[in-house]
Amino acid sequence: MSRLLVCPPDYFSVAYEINPWMRLSNRVNPERARAQWSGLMKVLEEDVGAVLVRMKPAPGLPDMVFTANAGTVCGRRAVPSRFRHPERQREEPYFEAWFRKQGYEVQKLDDDLYFEGAGDLLGFPDSVQGAWFGGYRQRSDIRAYVRLGELFSREIIPLELVDSRFYHLDTCFCPLSGGELLYYPTAFDSYAKTVIAERVGEPFRLVVTETEALRFACNAVCVGKHVVLPAGCPRAMTLLETRGYQPHPVPLDEFMKAGGSAKCLTLALE
Ligand code: ARG
């Protein structure tokens, strides 16, 4: 069973610019955003069988819908995010309070380390051991992964992100339950590309085209053999189908105005 933390888009908007996707002039249509978010929830619940845990949104925090950035959860422990941008740092107390209220043992990182949660730290779903991967340079600090690796007794492989359009690891890197990796190699520096190739064998690497990477094809939610991804990525869907996955395309372009899509709108609680 997969439990996902989500936050309704009551206050979602583009109110500042902290990534290249966000433009104040490109206004969010709140009704469309609400309909697209509800469409995603419906697919996750009814087609994928995920259990959704909804948290209360807070006024004045337009990016709080992106719960992938709440922090990272492992068993009963949670590490809340420490955001790079002051605009999003205001979300931190809400996410931390949510983890505490749910009974998680909250472990905080040092104040001088930026870390943006499951947006930047990903492992293969359903794998009880195995390394995790940590994206750094755009948002999270590489040093955060040393600390997190100790905390969780896990190997964390840092991967440098070199393209500001792919500013979180989950915008260009999606580990799948069968060990395949859906990703966009150009978003990584050459060392990260080498490390990925060492860890994920050639037949398991599913490379997304630039066009579809820019439609957030990699920002997908994988639960078992289901993969929920943004609409408009037919080639990624074919790649997934040939590996036995069932893709579920969902229109989410209102959220792309803020630089996010399906995966960013969820946080895996297991
Ligand atoms: N506007 C948000 C930001 O720039 C979008 C976050 C998307 N989340 C993600 N996990 N990629 O922080």
Side-chain angles (χ1 to χ4, degrees):
M1 188 185 72
S2 177
R3 288 172 70 236
L4 303 173
L5 174 66
V6 296
C7 179
D10 300 19
Y11 307 105
F12 173 62
S13 72
V14 174
Y16 43 77
E17 300 177 354
I18 59 168
N19 69 51
W21 301 90
M22 302 176 92
R23 275 185 292 117
L24 289 171
S25 57
N26 195 13
R27 298 182 73 101
V28 167
N29 175 327
E31 289 78 45
R32 271 192 99 228
R34 162 68 64 180
Q36 292 184 347
W37 187 85
S38 304
L40 173 67
M41 297 305 121
K42 191 168 164 10
V43 169
L44 289 169
E45 258 175 339
E46 295 175 14
D47 301 342
V48 170
V51 174
L52 302 178
V53 182
R54 290 172 169 79
M55 76 179 285
K56 201 168 161 266
L61 297 177
D63 274 336
M64 213 172 143
V65 280
F66 298 115
T67 50
N69 301 122
T72 197
V73 166
C74 184
R76 290 314 296 161
R77 289 201 288 173
V79 178
S81 287
R82 174 91 186 99
F83 287 95
R84 182 169 296 271
H85 295 100
E87 292 87 342
R88 291 205 71 184
Q89 286 169 3
R90 292 181 289 126
E91 296 171 40
E92 290 171 16
Y94 293 89
F95 289 133
E96 185 182 333
W98 188 87
F99 288 129
R100 288 194 193 280
K101 207 171 154 214
Q102 301 296 307
Y104 285 96
E105 182 196 320
V106 172
Q107 308 258 356
K108 294 190 70 170
L109 290 176
D110 292 344
D111 268 359
D112 65 337
L113 287 180
Y114 295 122
F115 168 61
E116 300 204 353
D120 266 334
L121 182 58
L122 298 170
F124 283 92
D126 304 337
S127 111
V128 269
Q129 358 153 350
W132 287 344
F133 299 86
Y136 70 95
R137 180 169 146 186
Q138 306 288 331
R139 294 293 183 86
S140 301
D141 287 322
I142 189 169
R143 287 184 308 133
Y145 298 121
V146 178
R147 185 75 193 99
L148 288 160
E150 286 166 5
L151 258 171
F152 290 124
S153 309
R154 280 269 183 164
E155 182 188 11
I156 300 180
I157 301 167
L159 299 174
E160 182 173 342
L161 300 169
V162 294
D163 182 332
S164 60
R165 297 170 302 175
F166 302 100
Y167 57 92
H168 278 139
L169 185 62
D170 68 2
T171 62
C172 51
F173 187 93
C174 179
L176 302 172
S177 56
E180 302 88 349
L181 174 68
L182 187 71
Y183 79 126
Y184 179 58
T186 315
F188 297 89
D189 84 321
S190 64
Y191 182 68
K193 283 196 278 256
T194 307
V195 173
I196 294 168
E198 272 168 24
R199 294 292 174 144
V200 184
E202 217 279 306
F204 288 88
R205 298 199 295 271
L206 313 181
V207 173
V208 166
T209 62
E210 181 179 26
T211 308
E212 294 193 359
L214 291 171
R215 292 184 194 143
F216 275 49
C218 300
N219 201 252
V221 183
C222 177
V223 177
K225 281 289 171 187
H226 297 281
V227 180
V228 182
L229 76 172
C233 303
R235 297 181 66 168
M237 285 183 41
T238 305
L239 277 176
L240 290 165
E241 276 161 357
T242 57
R243 304 307 171 104
Y245 290 93
Q246 189 181 342
H248 302 270
V250 179
L252 289 167
D253 46 279
E254 287 300 324
F255 295 94
M256 272 191 59
K257 293 176 180 173
S261 194
K263 165 63 174 48
C264 308
L265 292 166
T266 67
L267 175 70
L269 294 174
E270 264 85 49

